[in-house]
Amino acid sequence: MSREHEWVDEEAGPVVRPYAVARGRTRPASSALDLLANVGATGLPAPSGAELSAQHRRVLACLSGKSRPVAELASEVGLPVGVIRVLLGDLLEHGLVAVRPQRDRASSPTESLLREVINGLRAL
């Protein structure tokens, strides 16, 4: 059985709790890893001595060639956001991912603008 599939049972699904995947940690190493932060793989090789689990490798595989928000990555990988943030923190420490914080709130659309758009769509 490959290491990647050792935590999944065909009928039962995942057999390891999410906190075990994150080695009992609940907080990421970086505060920059909020839900909307874009994360992308740097393409650098893993440093010698880096202990990367199958889940770390899954996250890197999902990031190959494109960056995406933390929340979207969690959905694609099928793990809770808290676990993904911890795993990304590990990868960030090893220089395997880069984080671009979410856009500045000043450049985000205002609530009133979004309401106007919604009302306009409803009118169609």
Side-chain angles (χ1 to χ4, degrees):
M1 177 182 287
S2 76
R3 187 157 204 253
E4 187 172 318
H5 299 290
E6 69 187 14
W7 292 348
V8 178
D9 180 274
E10 291 287 329
E11 295 175 22
V15 294
V16 173
R17 299 279 186 213
Y19 61 82
V21 173
R23 297 181 191 140
R25 296 169 295 153
T26 58
R27 297 192 192 279
S30 172
S31 61
L33 292 166
D34 62 15
L35 292 176
L36 299 178
N38 277 318
V39 181
T42 61
L44 297 173
S48 62
E51 294 182 26
L52 298 181
S53 68
Q55 303 308 325
H56 286 105
R57 289 189 300 276
R58 276 182 59 203
V59 168
L60 283 173
C62 287
L63 290 173
S64 96
K66 56 187 163 185
S67 66
R68 58 185 60 204
V70 172
E72 183 181 319
L73 181 63
S75 175
E76 186 168 326
V77 174
L79 289 171
V81 173
V83 173
I84 289 295
R85 290 178 66 211
V86 170
L87 295 175
L88 285 170
D90 296 344
L91 295 172
L92 187 61
E93 284 182 345
H94 293 303
L96 299 175
V97 296
V99 179
R100 190 176 64 216
Q102 67 176 326
R103 293 184 345 191
D104 184 22
R105 290 199 184 271
S107 66
S108 298
T110 63
E111 183 178 344
S112 62
L113 175 63
L114 293 175
R115 288 191 186 282
E116 287 181 41
V117 170
I118 290 171
N119 290 336
L121 290 172
R122 286 184 182 149
L124 294 175

